[in-house]
Amino acid sequence: MVNLSSFSSIHFLFYSLVISLSSTVICGGIETDHEALLKIKSLITRDPYGALTSWNDSLHLCDWSHVYCGKRHRRVTYINLSSQGLEGSLYPHVGNLSFLRTLSLGNNSFQGAIPQEVGGLYSAIGAMLPNLFWLQLWGNQLSGPLPASISNCTSSKLLELNKNKFSGHLTVDFSKLTKMEIINIEDNLFGSKEADEMKFNDSLKNCRRLKSLAFGNCGFQGVLPRSIGNLSNQLYELTFYGNQLHGNLPSSIGNLVGLNKLSLGGNQFTGNIPSTIGKLQNLQDLYLYENQLSGQIPDSIGNLSSLLKLSLSSNMLEGVIPSSLGNCHHILSLFLNDNKLNGKIPVQLLQLSSLSITLDLSQNNLFGSLPTEIGNLNMLTTLNLFDNNFSGNIPSSLGGCSSLLRLSLKGNLFQGMIPLSLNSLKGLVELDISHNNFSGHIPRFFEKFKLEYLNLSYNNFEGEVPMLGVFANESTFSVLGNRRLCGGIIELGLSKCKETSKFTKKLHLYLIVTLIASALFTATCLAYAWCKKKRKSHLSPSSTSERHLKVSYSQLLKATNGFSESNLIGTGGYSSVYKGILFEDNDTFVAIKVLHLHTRGAQRSFMREFEAWRNLRHRNLLKIITSCSSIDFQGNPFKALVYEFMPNGSLHDWLHSSGNTSRLNLLQMIKILMDVANALDYIHNHCLPTIIHGDLNPSNILLDNDMVAHVGDFGLARFLGTSYQNNSTGIRGTMGDIAPGIIGFHIYLHY
């Protein structure tokens, strides 16, 4: 233990003092212990929990609370008063407790000096150091140089002196501490500015049992020596963060193959990251942030297959992001921000579904469009891409990042409208897309988000500023620099939005319906002629049926997070439809239609729809991936159909949902009608047997990423010329298919 008499003039809050002894000499008797404990109590000025209430003459001292005696000699061996909220000073003659082995007074508010008499705890403090098993003095205000006599603690396994104010040159000779396992001297004021200040590292090579070495935030200067690679192969933690170390990182660091954590951030290291770092395959946390490292990120970093957290931020790294990072399949957080990286984001990086905390690529020179694979990061909570040179439209797949809480795209070259798919990012609390070239109207669905901060400033947005949700408080959002905006709350000072006259609206409607009717007639004729011409070349779908992936009830349960309500996207009389991720099929987004088998007619609907999909294949029909006929965990029958997920919802959503502020333009409406016409022509004229849909309406017309229409829900279908045709009694819905022209009129009525 530290020579306590050398600290007799040091005043401190006594947060943690543990003194452990392993040799004894009998001096005095039980009366001496009794007197010493009562005098200790007399100097306690505050005892909020009554820890010392039982310390009186009515009980034998061995029965007092927090006091422990030896069974044979009935002398005090252990006092534990930690975390009792005690205030006061330490009784000088605590050293009279000659049988005391452990005194624990941590996490209290003792003040004053460490009494010199503590040295009276048997033959003087220095004499007992060789037998000291562990020493904890962390969390106090101890100062001055660390005594070299600690080198005599040859039996010690643990040395914790962190969170004090020790200073000066570290003179401890660690070569004698061969049994040491944990050394923690973080958060002190060492640093002598001598050239050989880090020489103490050389003496650590004899500590072959060393598991944790924590020297962070100590003020050390100098170069990290090559001898660092000679440390114990059992070492799992090495921290030198927050010092003033400089020079290159030694390649010998690759010898420490047992490391789980390497923290060297907040120093002044220069040069390249050594490729030997790829040998540390047990490494889980790697922190090299806030240095002056340069060159490229080595490809060998992809060998760190156990990596959970990687921070290389605030350096001078350049070149492209290595695609080998895609091999780090367990990584949770990745910080590459504030460097000089360029090129595009590697697709392999965006396929790391493990990324669930932070991906920060901000403040670099990255360019190109944002890959559609960004939607794979469906567990990510923070995505920072600000201050780069990204361009193009935001991909609709970004809506797949449904766990995002914070998203920053500011300071790039993005353009176009905000995609409707971002409506799925309902958990966002911070969104910053300022200083880009976004245009169009501000989406109304932002009103329903629980945003705490929204920055849309310095773009090209136009039209009315919403007034609900985050838009109701001027301090929580910004729309500065968008010159064509109007309306909003009065504090914005924007001009009032102009209203379109009734005559202009009627004229627009008249022109629109005329154009729709003309274009629809022409398109239908052309489509029919083309389909007629190609009819003979079509193969019967039943002759080329695909093998479908087999899934179980448990797999679908997992895909939908237990058929949770948050994944529910629709409910009908016979079924409920859930959004899910099919992990067995490369994490594919799917729509899972679960039949309500307790409802009369549901079984027949399932068989009818399954039979329909077994005979269908067309680009404008909803694609089935597989089906499931099984039992649930309670033994009840379970049936479901798994379809391709349509991220843009149904035509009904676009026509009726209040959350959709964007309207279908003329070309989109014509395209949707043509897609529906193609689908109906196919099932009427090119299928064997001919199929009548039976319930065609906007809810059953689904739209994919590119706004291509797909007809779905064949639960009420009729099969002409088969037994299914004659077994349609009681079927509800349309007896024949609705013509595309009627769908077009439906679009017109809601335009």
Side-chain angles (χ1 to χ4, degrees), residues 368-370 385-386 388-395 408-416 433 435-439 459-460:
S369 58
L370 197 57
L385 302 177
F386 61 86
N388 279 286
N389 296 308
F390 292 115
S391 58
N393 296 334
I394 293 181
S408 179
L409 305 177
K410 75 173 183 178
N412 282 285
L413 302 172
F414 288 115
Q415 62 186 27
I433 57 174
H435 295 275
N436 280 283
N437 297 313
F438 291 115
S439 57
N459 282 286
N460 297 314

Side-chain angles (χ1 to χ4, degrees), residues 350-367:
L350 301 180
Q351 293 173 339
L352 290 172
S353 58
S354 61
L355 274 171
S356 57
I357 301 178
T358 300
L359 174 60
D360 196 339
L361 306 179
S362 62
Q363 297 176 291
N364 280 289
N365 298 315
L366 301 173
F367 58 81

Side-chain angles (χ1 to χ4, degrees), residues 157-286:
K157 294 185 177 181
L158 181 145
L159 177 64
E160 288 188 341
L161 305 176
N162 50 308
K163 297 183 179 180
N164 279 287
K165 294 183 178 180
F166 292 117
S167 60
H169 197 142
L170 186 59
T171 58
V172 176
D173 182 5
F174 292 103
S175 63
K176 300 179 182 179
L177 308 180
T178 57
K179 297 181 181 180
M180 192 66 72
E181 297 181 0
I182 296 175
I183 301 176
N184 188 346
I185 60 172
E186 288 185 346
D187 299 312
N188 276 288
L189 303 175
F190 295 109
S192 62
K193 299 183 180 180
E194 298 178 10
D196 62 346
E197 189 168 276
M198 298 297 293
K199 190 176 181 180
F200 66 86
N201 277 279
D202 296 338
S203 67
L204 286 166
K205 64 182 180 181
N206 288 346
C207 303
R208 306 315 300 169
R209 299 181 184 180
L210 199 60
K211 297 178 181 178
S212 177
L213 186 61
F215 286 171
N217 198 26
C218 282
F220 289 128
Q221 301 182 33
V223 175
L224 195 62
R226 290 181 55 84
S227 61
I228 199 75
N230 297 329
L231 295 178
S232 167
N233 57 12
Q234 298 185 46
L235 191 68
Y236 63 78
E237 180 180 23
L238 176 63
T239 64
F240 274 98
Y241 67 87
N243 286 287
Q244 301 178 47
L245 304 180
H246 60 268
N248 293 343
L249 292 177
S251 59
S252 61
I253 208 164
N255 297 338
L256 304 177
V257 293
L259 279 183
N260 291 145
K261 179 179 181 179
L262 176 60
S263 180
L264 303 176
N267 283 285
Q268 301 168 17
F269 290 116
T270 56
N272 297 338
I273 299 174
S275 60
T276 55
I277 208 163
K279 296 180 180 180
L280 308 180
Q281 296 190 19
N282 292 315
L283 203 60
Q284 297 180 358
D285 299 328
L286 174 58

Side-chain angles (χ1 to χ4, degrees), residues 58 74 100 102 106 128 161 221 281 306 377 568 573 628 656 729:
S58 63
R74 300 288 285 171
L100 190 65
T102 301
M128 71 178 182
L161 305 176
Q221 301 182 33
Q281 296 190 19
S306 300
L377 305 179
L568 183 66
C628 176
H656 298 282
T729 303

Side-chain angles (χ1 to χ4, degrees), residues 562-575:
F563 298 112
S564 68
E565 188 173 350
S566 61
N567 283 25
L568 183 66
I569 57 178
T571 302
Y574 293 148
S575 62

Side-chain angles (χ1 to χ4, degrees), residues 628-650:
C628 176
S629 182
S630 181
I631 58 174
D632 61 22
F633 293 154
Q634 285 74 42
N636 301 313
F638 174 85
K639 293 184 184 297
L641 295 170
V642 182
Y643 299 100
E644 183 180 16
F645 181 69
M646 296 286 110
N648 274 321
S650 70

Side-chain angles (χ1 to χ4, degrees), residues 430-446:
E430 295 180 13
L431 175 61
D432 192 341
I433 57 174
S434 61
H435 295 275
N436 280 283
N437 297 313
F438 291 115
S439 57
H441 289 77
I442 297 175
R444 291 262 177 200
F445 56 71
F446 285 155

